[in-house]
Amino acid sequence: MEMARFEDMRAKGVVREDSLFAGHSLGEYVALAAMGRIFSIEEVSALVFYRGLTMQNAVKRDAEGATDYSMCAVNPTRVSPKFSEENLHWCVAEIARIRGSGGLLEIVNYNVANMQYVCAGDVSSCSLSPFTALSLWDFASQIATNL
C-alpha cells in the first residue's frame, strides 16, 4: 500500500528524484524499495514477511499463540498536561522497584518527545501486582493527579 502511494506521488511530481527519504520500522523497507530502489516489490514483500515470522517466533507462545509479553504506546499529555517524559521514566522505574527482579518493563522507543513513547515488557510488569489490574496507564494517571 505504501509503495503504491509513493509511486502515485512520484507520478504526480510530488516527489523529486533527488529527495532524501527515510522510514521508521516497516517504513524503512518502503523507503529502501520505493526511493532507494534497492528491492523490487517482490523482494521487499518477502523480506517483510520473513521479518514478521522472525518477530512472531522470537518469544515463547502458548497453544493459542499468546505470549507473556506486551507493549503499549504512551502519550504523557493524555495522562495529564503536566505529565512529562521524566514522570514516565519515574513510573517505569517505580514499577520495576515494586516488581523486583522478576519483571521486565522498559521504554523501548522515543517516537515523539513528550507525545509518544513505546513501553514493552512482560505482562505481569504491566500491573503493579498479580492481585490488581492497575496498569501502567492507571499508575501514571494516579501520579499525575499529584503533579
Side-chain angles (χ1 to χ4, degrees), residues 24-26 28-29 46-56:
H24 172 70
S25 194
L26 285 178
E28 294 171 286
Y29 296 94
L47 190 59
V48 168
F49 175 78
Y50 286 114
R51 175 188 184 263
L53 281 179
T54 301
M55 292 176 73
Q56 180 73 15

Side-chain angles (χ1 to χ4, degrees), residues 27-125:
E28 294 171 286
Y29 296 94
V30 174
L32 291 170
M35 193 65 186
R37 295 184 174 157
I38 293 173
F39 302 114
S40 69
I41 187 76
E42 294 81 13
E43 291 169 325
V44 79
S45 296
L47 190 59
V48 168
F49 175 78
Y50 286 114
R51 175 188 184 263
L53 281 179
T54 301
M55 292 176 73
Q56 180 73 15
N57 293 315
V59 295
K60 185 177 154 187
R61 296 179 179 278
D62 66 18
E64 286 81 39
T67 178
D68 291 333
Y69 299 94
S70 185
M71 61 190 298
C72 65
V74 180
N75 180 340
T77 62
R78 291 187 66 193
V79 175
S80 163
K82 296 180 182 178
F83 196 80
S84 67
E85 180 181 320
E86 182 181 332
N87 299 124
L88 179 61
H89 278 278
W90 183 88
C91 285
V92 169
E94 188 64 10
I95 289 171
R97 185 188 67 75
I98 292 167
R99 296 293 300 167
S101 62
L104 171 66
L105 181 63
E106 303 260 333
I107 303 171
V108 295
N109 260 1
Y110 296 79
N111 292 338
V112 180
N114 290 314
M115 292 201 59
Q116 189 185 59
Y117 304 91
V118 177
C119 293
D122 59 61
V123 173
S124 65
S125 291

